[in-house]
Amino acid sequence: DVKVTQSSRYLVKRTGEKVFLECVQDMDHENMFWYRQDPGLGLRLIYFSYDVKMKEKGDIPEGYSVSREKKERFSLILESASTNQTSMYLCASSSRDEAFFGQGTRLTVV
Amino acid sequence: QKEVEQNSGPLSVPEGAIASLNCTYSDRGSQSFFWYRQYSGKSPELIMSIYSNGDKEDGRFTAQLNKASQYVSLLIRDSQPSDSATYLCAVGRDNYGQNFVFGPGTRLSVLP
């Protein structure tokens, strides 16, 4: 059974904190993605990676950074959390034909 | 113009009816198209992928693609209450690594 695992289901952080969201996949996929999902806006791509130590900006990278030191792990970093980053964050890894999603992290910034 | 557009719904159909979900996209060069289903509080899961013009059937689901009209649809036959979910249309931006762009989703409600 394929697995994409995100480190937390729910997080509450304070404004200005540095926040780390971790994602691990066991499918040996080269491609990994971070999305955020907001009501009425759908899934929006933050960053993606095609290979270890490689990263590309998505549609809304501002305020975020990523790290991919190992093939199976892709981390999303909020350098200084703000209230407008309150959202559901979804990690995915993909083959050519399908993206597999983690269970999501609901982040609240207060 | 948004890259991928869907009617947000909610779309309500009676049990046993055909549900028709529509999606349009702006990039004429897109080559790959996907339908995901997302239950409330859950992650999206793939229902169907389609790459060529025409119809592709899988059980009660049929995906239809018309690249000239930049239109892709999903038909659900014999709709069941368990089909009630949000359906996301996704379009592949490139042929390497499958960088997807998602539509906002259509919420479907199947009434018993």
Side-chain angles (χ1 to χ4, degrees), chain A residues 37 50 59 96-97 99 102, chain B residues 36 38 43 51 93-94 98:
Chain A
Q37 188 172 31
Y50 289 151
D59 298 313
R96 183 184 185 276
D97 297 319
Chain B
Y36 283 80
Q38 186 175 24
S43 298
Y51 302 94
R93 280 173 164 156
D94 56 55
Q98 284 303 308

Side-chain angles (χ1 to χ4, degrees), chain B residues 3-79:
Chain B
E3 289 188 70
V4 180
E5 298 199 50
Q6 297 179 254
N7 188 326
S8 62
L11 172 66
S12 295
V13 300
E15 184 175 355
I18 296 175
S20 178
L21 304 163
N22 304 316
C23 172
T24 58
Y25 59 94
S26 61
D27 185 353
R28 192 170 281 280
S30 299
Q31 298 294 322
S32 54
F33 308 87
F34 308 85
W35 283 100
Y36 283 80
R37 177 177 61 202
Q38 186 175 24
Y39 292 114
S40 180
K42 302 292 187 181
S43 298
E45 55 181 348
L46 182 71
I47 301 174
M48 298 208 45
S49 58
I50 186 166
Y51 302 94
S52 303
N53 279 330
D55 295 359
K56 179 181 178 182
E57 188 173 318
D58 184 0
R60 296 186 296 111
F61 298 95
T62 299
Q64 299 174 317
L65 175 61
N66 184 327
K67 290 184 180 180
S69 299
Q70 296 174 243
Y71 175 92
V72 59
S73 65
L74 180 71
L75 301 178
I76 307 174
R77 289 182 301 281
D78 189 24
S79 296

